[in-house]
Amino acid sequence: SVEVLQPIYTFGKIGGAQDAARAGLEAGEAGVVRKKEEIVLQIKRLYHSLVLARGLREVVLEGQENVQKARRRVNELLEEDSDDVGQSDLFKIDVFEYEVKKNLNRADKSIELGKAAMMQLLKIDRQTDFDIIIPQEEPEVQGLEALQSYVNRARSSRSDIKQLRAGLQVRRSLLRVSRSDFYPQIALAGRMEWGAAPHRPHFSNPFLNDQFNFFRLGAVLTLRQSFNFGLTNAKHQARKAEYEDLLSKEEQAVSAVALEVERAYRDVEEANDNVQNSDRAMRSAKAWMTSEAIGFDITGDSAGLLNAFTAYSRMQNEYYQAIYNMNISRAVLDHTTGAGLPN
C-alpha cells in the first residue's frame, strides 16, 4: 500500500519555508565567519604586542650597553685623576642603570606573558618550544583609500551585517508562511494498493470483493482551509512585528557601521602620522646622543650624556609604540570592514 500527498499550490508556504531554511543556514555560516574574524584580531593583537615587547627589550639592552660604556669611561678618568669627573658621576650612572634593569625585567615579563596568552589562544602545549618570527624590514606606512570606500566595503562584506540580513530574510520568509495560512492549501492525494496471495483463487468478477489478489489505484484533488482566522491573524501579526523589529535593528546597525569604520579610519591616520613623527624625533635624539658621547669622551661630563641617553631611549619607546598602534589600528580597520580573515 502506497499513499502519496503532493502539494500543488500552497500560496507561498513551501517556498517560504525553503527560503527561511536557506537564510538560516547563511546566518549560521556568517556567525562562524564572524567568530573566526574575532579570533584573528585577537591573534594579531597578541602578535604585535610580542613584537613591541621584543623591540622595547632591544632598546633596554642598547641602553644597558651605553651605560656600561659610560661607567668604564668614568672609571678611566677617575684613575687618571681627572678634575672633570667625580664619584657623583658614578652615582648618576648607578641610578640610570637601575632604571635600565627594571625596564629589562618588565620587558622580559611582558614577553613571557604574551607568549603564554598566544599559546593558550592557539591551543599550543605549554611545553612546546614556541616563539614568533620578528619582521626584519622597516615598517612601511601604507596609504589609505577614501573613507567612503571602506564604509561601502563594510556594509557589503561584514559578516555580522550578513548575519543580520540573513536573519531578516528568515523573518521575511516566515512572514510569507504565516500569510499563506489565510488561503487554502491545494494538493493531490493518491493511493495505490496491490495484493497477491499464492494458492488463492483469483476472482475476475468485479462485484466480488477479493481481499487477497487485487490492484487498486485512485487519486483525488484536496483543498484544506482553516477557518480560525482570528488565531491565524494573531500569528501573522506576531511574525510581522518580529520582522519589523529586526528590520529596524538592521537599519540601525548599518548606520552605526559608518561611524565605527570612520573611527578606525581616523585611528589609522593618526597612527601613520605618529610613526613618521616619532621616527624623525628618534633620529634627532640619536644625533644628540652621539654628540654628547663625543663630548663625554673629551670632558667626562656625564649629565648631558645621561640626558641624551634618556631622551633617545624614550623616543625609541615612542617609535616602537607608534608602530604597534599603526599595526593594531590597521588590523582593527580590516576587522571593521570585513577584511580581517587572511586569504
PDB file of all heavy atoms in Angstrom, residues 53-75:
ATOM      1  N   ALA A  53      57.065  44.170  22.639  1.00  0.00           N
ATOM      2  CA  ALA A  53      57.843  43.836  23.837  1.00  0.00           C
ATOM      3  C   ALA A  53      59.288  43.496  23.480  1.00  0.00           C
ATOM      4  O   ALA A  53      60.226  43.905  24.174  1.00  0.00           O
ATOM      5  CB  ALA A  53      57.183  42.675  24.574  1.00  0.00           C
ATOM      6  N   ARG A  54      59.470  42.761  22.387  1.00  0.00           N
ATOM      7  CA  ARG A  54      60.832  42.417  21.973  1.00  0.00           C
ATOM      8  C   ARG A  54      61.593  43.664  21.497  1.00  0.00           C
ATOM      9  O   ARG A  54      62.797  43.804  21.738  1.00  0.00           O
ATOM     10  CB  ARG A  54      60.792  41.363  20.878  1.00  0.00           C
ATOM     11  CG  ARG A  54      60.364  39.989  21.394  1.00  0.00           C
ATOM     12  CD  ARG A  54      60.656  38.918  20.370  1.00  0.00           C
ATOM     13  NE  ARG A  54      60.290  37.602  20.860  1.00  0.00           N
ATOM     14  CZ  ARG A  54      61.019  36.866  21.688  1.00  0.00           C
ATOM     15  NH1 ARG A  54      62.180  37.335  22.121  1.00  0.00           N
ATOM     16  NH2 ARG A  54      60.610  35.667  22.067  1.00  0.00           N
ATOM     17  N   GLY A  55      60.891  44.560  20.806  1.00  0.00           N
ATOM     18  CA  GLY A  55      61.538  45.792  20.387  1.00  0.00           C
ATOM     19  C   GLY A  55      61.969  46.640  21.566  1.00  0.00           C
ATOM     20  O   GLY A  55      63.083  47.194  21.589  1.00  0.00           O
ATOM     21  N   LEU A  56      61.093  46.752  22.567  1.00  0.00           N
ATOM     22  CA  LEU A  56      61.445  47.517  23.758  1.00  0.00           C
ATOM     23  C   LEU A  56      62.592  46.862  24.524  1.00  0.00           C
ATOM     24  O   LEU A  56      63.414  47.555  25.143  1.00  0.00           O
ATOM     25  CB  LEU A  56      60.219  47.665  24.660  1.00  0.00           C
ATOM     26  CG  LEU A  56      59.053  48.469  24.074  1.00  0.00           C
ATOM     27  CD1 LEU A  56      57.898  48.532  25.063  1.00  0.00           C
ATOM     28  CD2 LEU A  56      59.498  49.864  23.678  1.00  0.00           C
ATOM     29  N   ARG A  57      62.650  45.551  24.485  1.00  0.00           N
ATOM     30  CA  ARG A  57      63.758  44.859  25.152  1.00  0.00           C
ATOM     31  C   ARG A  57      65.088  45.198  24.482  1.00  0.00           C
ATOM     32  O   ARG A  57      66.109  45.389  25.158  1.00  0.00           O
ATOM     33  CB  ARG A  57      63.520  43.346  25.133  1.00  0.00           C
ATOM     34  CG  ARG A  57      64.520  42.555  25.963  1.00  0.00           C
ATOM     35  CD  ARG A  57      64.185  41.068  25.963  1.00  0.00           C
ATOM     36  NE  ARG A  57      64.983  40.363  26.939  1.00  0.00           N
ATOM     37  CZ  ARG A  57      66.229  39.910  26.715  1.00  0.00           C
ATOM     38  NH1 ARG A  57      66.786  40.111  25.520  1.00  0.00           N
ATOM     39  NH2 ARG A  57      66.906  39.274  27.661  1.00  0.00           N
ATOM     40  N   GLU A  58      65.079  45.273  23.151  1.00  0.00           N
ATOM     41  CA  GLU A  58      66.303  45.650  22.442  1.00  0.00           C
ATOM     42  C   GLU A  58      66.716  47.078  22.799  1.00  0.00           C
ATOM     43  O   GLU A  58      67.907  47.380  22.910  1.00  0.00           O
ATOM     44  CB  GLU A  58      66.085  45.533  20.934  1.00  0.00           C
ATOM     45  CG  GLU A  58      65.887  44.107  20.444  1.00  0.00           C
ATOM     46  CD  GLU A  58      67.087  43.229  20.738  1.00  0.00           C
ATOM     47  OE1 GLU A  58      68.231  43.730  20.597  1.00  0.00           O
ATOM     48  OE2 GLU A  58      66.896  42.059  21.106  1.00  0.00           O
ATOM     49  N   VAL A  59      65.733  47.949  22.984  1.00  0.00           N
ATOM     50  CA  VAL A  59      66.038  49.321  23.402  1.00  0.00           C
ATOM     51  C   VAL A  59      66.714  49.313  24.761  1.00  0.00           C
ATOM     52  O   VAL A  59      67.709  50.024  24.996  1.00  0.00           O
ATOM     53  CB  VAL A  59      64.746  50.168  23.435  1.00  0.00           C
ATOM     54  CG1 VAL A  59      65.008  51.530  24.068  1.00  0.00           C
ATOM     55  CG2 VAL A  59      64.184  50.339  22.035  1.00  0.00           C
ATOM     56  N   VAL A  60      66.191  48.506  25.671  1.00  0.00           N
ATOM     57  CA  VAL A  60      66.763  48.443  27.021  1.00  0.00           C
ATOM     58  C   VAL A  60      68.181  47.882  26.977  1.00  0.00           C
ATOM     59  O   VAL A  60      69.089  48.390  27.657  1.00  0.00           O
ATOM     60  CB  VAL A  60      65.863  47.585  27.933  1.00  0.00           C
ATOM     61  CG1 VAL A  60      66.527  47.380  29.288  1.00  0.00           C
ATOM     62  CG2 VAL A  60      64.502  48.236  28.112  1.00  0.00           C
ATOM     63  N   LEU A  61      68.397  46.842  26.160  1.00  0.00           N
ATOM     64  CA  LEU A  61      69.737  46.259  26.060  1.00  0.00           C
ATOM     65  C   LEU A  61      70.730  47.261  25.482  1.00  0.00           C
ATOM     66  O   LEU A  61      71.890  47.322  25.919  1.00  0.00           O
ATOM     67  CB  LEU A  61      69.682  44.999  25.193  1.00  0.00           C
ATOM     68  CG  LEU A  61      68.943  43.797  25.795  1.00  0.00           C
ATOM     69  CD1 LEU A  61      68.898  42.641  24.795  1.00  0.00           C
ATOM     70  CD2 LEU A  61      69.587  43.353  27.102  1.00  0.00           C
ATOM     71  N   GLU A  62      70.266  48.038  24.508  1.00  0.00           N
ATOM     72  CA  GLU A  62      71.147  49.073  23.954  1.00  0.00           C
ATOM     73  C   GLU A  62      71.479  50.120  25.016  1.00  0.00           C
ATOM     74  O   GLU A  62      72.624  50.580  25.120  1.00  0.00           O
ATOM     75  CB  GLU A  62      70.480  49.732  22.747  1.00  0.00           C
ATOM     76  CG  GLU A  62      71.363  50.756  22.054  1.00  0.00           C
ATOM     77  CD  GLU A  62      70.697  51.368  20.834  1.00  0.00           C
ATOM     78  OE1 GLU A  62      69.600  50.902  20.462  1.00  0.00           O
ATOM     79  OE2 GLU A  62      71.267  52.315  20.257  1.00  0.00           O
ATOM     80  N   GLY A  63      70.469  50.504  25.803  1.00  0.00           N
ATOM     81  CA  GLY A  63      70.722  51.449  26.883  1.00  0.00           C
ATOM     82  C   GLY A  63      71.674  50.892  27.912  1.00  0.00           C
ATOM     83  O   GLY A  63      72.529  51.607  28.454  1.00  0.00           O
ATOM     84  N   GLN A  64      71.544  49.588  28.197  1.00  0.00           N
ATOM     85  CA  GLN A  64      72.443  48.952  29.153  1.00  0.00           C
ATOM     86  C   GLN A  64      73.880  48.974  28.646  1.00  0.00           C
ATOM     87  O   GLN A  64      74.824  49.229  29.407  1.00  0.00           O
ATOM     88  CB  GLN A  64      71.977  47.512  29.396  1.00  0.00           C
ATOM     89  CG  GLN A  64      72.677  46.794  30.524  1.00  0.00           C
ATOM     90  CD  GLN A  64      72.094  45.409  30.743  1.00  0.00           C
ATOM     91  OE1 GLN A  64      71.911  44.644  29.798  1.00  0.00           O
ATOM     92  NE2 GLN A  64      71.793  45.085  31.986  1.00  0.00           N
ATOM     93  N   GLU A  65      74.047  48.739  27.375  1.00  0.00           N
ATOM     94  CA  GLU A  65      75.391  48.774  26.788  1.00  0.00           C
ATOM     95  C   GLU A  65      75.981  50.186  26.855  1.00  0.00           C
ATOM     96  O   GLU A  65      77.168  50.362  27.169  1.00  0.00           O
ATOM     97  CB  GLU A  65      75.314  48.297  25.332  1.00  0.00           C
ATOM     98  CG  GLU A  65      76.668  48.236  24.641  1.00  0.00           C
ATOM     99  CD  GLU A  65      76.551  47.755  23.204  1.00  0.00           C
ATOM    100  OE1 GLU A  65      75.435  47.348  22.800  1.00  0.00           O
ATOM    101  OE2 GLU A  65      77.574  47.797  22.482  1.00  0.00           O
ATOM    102  N   ASN A  66      75.141  51.186  26.586  1.00  0.00           N
ATOM    103  CA  ASN A  66      75.633  52.565  26.659  1.00  0.00           C
ATOM    104  C   ASN A  66      76.021  52.946  28.082  1.00  0.00           C
ATOM    105  O   ASN A  66      77.007  53.662  28.304  1.00  0.00           O
ATOM    106  CB  ASN A  66      74.567  53.524  26.130  1.00  0.00           C
ATOM    107  CG  ASN A  66      74.350  53.380  24.635  1.00  0.00           C
ATOM    108  OD1 ASN A  66      75.269  53.019  23.888  1.00  0.00           O
ATOM    109  ND2 ASN A  66      73.138  53.658  24.178  1.00  0.00           N
ATOM    110  N   VAL A  67      75.247  52.487  29.053  1.00  0.00           N
ATOM    111  CA  VAL A  67      75.570  52.777  30.448  1.00  0.00           C
ATOM    112  C   VAL A  67      76.896  52.142  30.842  1.00  0.00           C
ATOM    113  O   VAL A  67      77.731  52.751  31.541  1.00  0.00           O
ATOM    114  CB  VAL A  67      74.432  52.288  31.368  1.00  0.00           C
ATOM    115  CG1 VAL A  67      74.865  52.332  32.833  1.00  0.00           C
ATOM    116  CG2 VAL A  67      73.199  53.139  31.180  1.00  0.00           C
ATOM    117  N   GLN A  68      77.131  50.920  30.399  1.00  0.00           N
ATOM    118  CA  GLN A  68      78.381  50.240  30.728  1.00  0.00           C
ATOM    119  C   GLN A  68      79.582  50.961  30.111  1.00  0.00           C
ATOM    120  O   GLN A  68      80.651  51.076  30.739  1.00  0.00           O
ATOM    121  CB  GLN A  68      78.317  48.794  30.254  1.00  0.00           C
ATOM    122  CG  GLN A  68      77.328  47.946  31.050  1.00  0.00           C
ATOM    123  CD  GLN A  68      77.123  46.571  30.444  1.00  0.00           C
ATOM    124  OE1 GLN A  68      77.640  46.269  29.362  1.00  0.00           O
ATOM    125  NE2 GLN A  68      76.354  45.728  31.140  1.00  0.00           N
ATOM    126  N   LYS A  69      79.386  51.469  28.886  1.00  0.00           N
ATOM    127  CA  LYS A  69      80.463  52.241  28.252  1.00  0.00           C
ATOM    128  C   LYS A  69      80.746  53.504  29.056  1.00  0.00           C
ATOM    129  O   LYS A  69      81.915  53.875  29.275  1.00  0.00           O
ATOM    130  CB  LYS A  69      80.064  52.610  26.825  1.00  0.00           C
ATOM    131  CG  LYS A  69      80.043  51.452  25.851  1.00  0.00           C
ATOM    132  CD  LYS A  69      79.648  51.936  24.457  1.00  0.00           C
ATOM    133  CE  LYS A  69      79.597  50.787  23.459  1.00  0.00           C
ATOM    134  NZ  LYS A  69      79.179  51.249  22.102  1.00  0.00           N
ATOM    135  N   ALA A  70      79.660  54.182  29.487  1.00  0.00           N
ATOM    136  CA  ALA A  70      79.849  55.397  30.276  1.00  0.00           C
ATOM    137  C   ALA A  70      80.549  55.093  31.592  1.00  0.00           C
ATOM    138  O   ALA A  70      81.423  55.860  32.048  1.00  0.00           O
ATOM    139  CB  ALA A  70      78.489  56.058  30.522  1.00  0.00           C
ATOM    140  N   ARG A  71      80.183  53.981  32.228  1.00  0.00           N
ATOM    141  CA  ARG A  71      80.823  53.624  33.508  1.00  0.00           C
ATOM    142  C   ARG A  71      82.318  53.355  33.316  1.00  0.00           C
ATOM    143  O   ARG A  71      83.145  53.808  34.132  1.00  0.00           O
ATOM    144  CB  ARG A  71      80.136  52.399  34.102  1.00  0.00           C
ATOM    145  CG  ARG A  71      80.676  51.992  35.470  1.00  0.00           C
ATOM    146  CD  ARG A  71      80.021  50.708  35.940  1.00  0.00           C
ATOM    147  NE  ARG A  71      78.601  50.902  36.180  1.00  0.00           N
ATOM    148  CZ  ARG A  71      78.107  51.434  37.305  1.00  0.00           C
ATOM    149  NH1 ARG A  71      78.921  51.852  38.265  1.00  0.00           N
ATOM    150  NH2 ARG A  71      76.814  51.577  37.453  1.00  0.00           N
ATOM    151  N   ARG A  72      82.647  52.639  32.248  1.00  0.00           N
ATOM    152  CA  ARG A  72      84.070  52.353  32.005  1.00  0.00           C
ATOM    153  C   ARG A  72      84.846  53.645  31.775  1.00  0.00           C
ATOM    154  O   ARG A  72      85.973  53.813  32.281  1.00  0.00           O
ATOM    155  CB  ARG A  72      84.211  51.424  30.807  1.00  0.00           C
ATOM    156  CG  ARG A  72      83.803  49.979  31.084  1.00  0.00           C
ATOM    157  CD  ARG A  72      84.301  49.038  30.002  1.00  0.00           C
ATOM    158  NE  ARG A  72      83.688  49.357  28.712  1.00  0.00           N
ATOM    159  CZ  ARG A  72      82.576  48.813  28.252  1.00  0.00           C
ATOM    160  NH1 ARG A  72      81.936  47.902  28.993  1.00  0.00           N
ATOM    161  NH2 ARG A  72      82.106  49.133  27.064  1.00  0.00           N
ATOM    162  N   ARG A  73      84.212  54.575  31.028  1.00  0.00           N
ATOM    163  CA  ARG A  73      84.915  55.828  30.742  1.00  0.00           C
ATOM    164  C   ARG A  73      85.090  56.668  32.011  1.00  0.00           C
ATOM    165  O   ARG A  73      86.165  57.267  32.228  1.00  0.00           O
ATOM    166  CB  ARG A  73      84.127  56.617  29.692  1.00  0.00           C
ATOM    167  CG  ARG A  73      84.782  57.926  29.288  1.00  0.00           C
ATOM    168  CD  ARG A  73      86.187  57.713  28.784  1.00  0.00           C
ATOM    169  NE  ARG A  73      86.818  58.976  28.417  1.00  0.00           N
ATOM    170  CZ  ARG A  73      88.132  59.149  28.281  1.00  0.00           C
ATOM    171  NH1 ARG A  73      88.975  58.122  28.502  1.00  0.00           N
ATOM    172  NH2 ARG A  73      88.626  60.324  27.931  1.00  0.00           N
ATOM    173  N   VAL A  74      84.097  56.715  32.862  1.00  0.00           N
ATOM    174  CA  VAL A  74      84.222  57.464  34.112  1.00  0.00           C
ATOM    175  C   VAL A  74      85.307  56.855  34.999  1.00  0.00           C
ATOM    176  O   VAL A  74      86.118  57.581  35.614  1.00  0.00           O
ATOM    177  CB  VAL A  74      82.866  57.496  34.855  1.00  0.00           C
ATOM    178  CG1 VAL A  74      83.034  58.034  36.270  1.00  0.00           C
ATOM    179  CG2 VAL A  74      81.870  58.370  34.092  1.00  0.00           C
ATOM    180  N   ASN A  75      85.345  55.528  35.077  1.00  0.00           N
ATOM    181  CA  ASN A  75      86.386  54.869  35.880  1.00  0.00           C
ATOM    182  C   ASN A  75      87.775  55.180  35.340  1.00  0.00           C
ATOM    183  O   ASN A  75      88.731  55.386  36.111  1.00  0.00           O
ATOM    184  CB  ASN A  75      86.155  53.360  35.904  1.00  0.00           C
ATOM    185  CG  ASN A  75      84.977  52.979  36.792  1.00  0.00           C
ATOM    186  OD1 ASN A  75      84.702  53.650  37.804  1.00  0.00           O
ATOM    187  ND2 ASN A  75      84.283  51.900  36.441  1.00  0.00           N
TER     188      ASN A  75
END
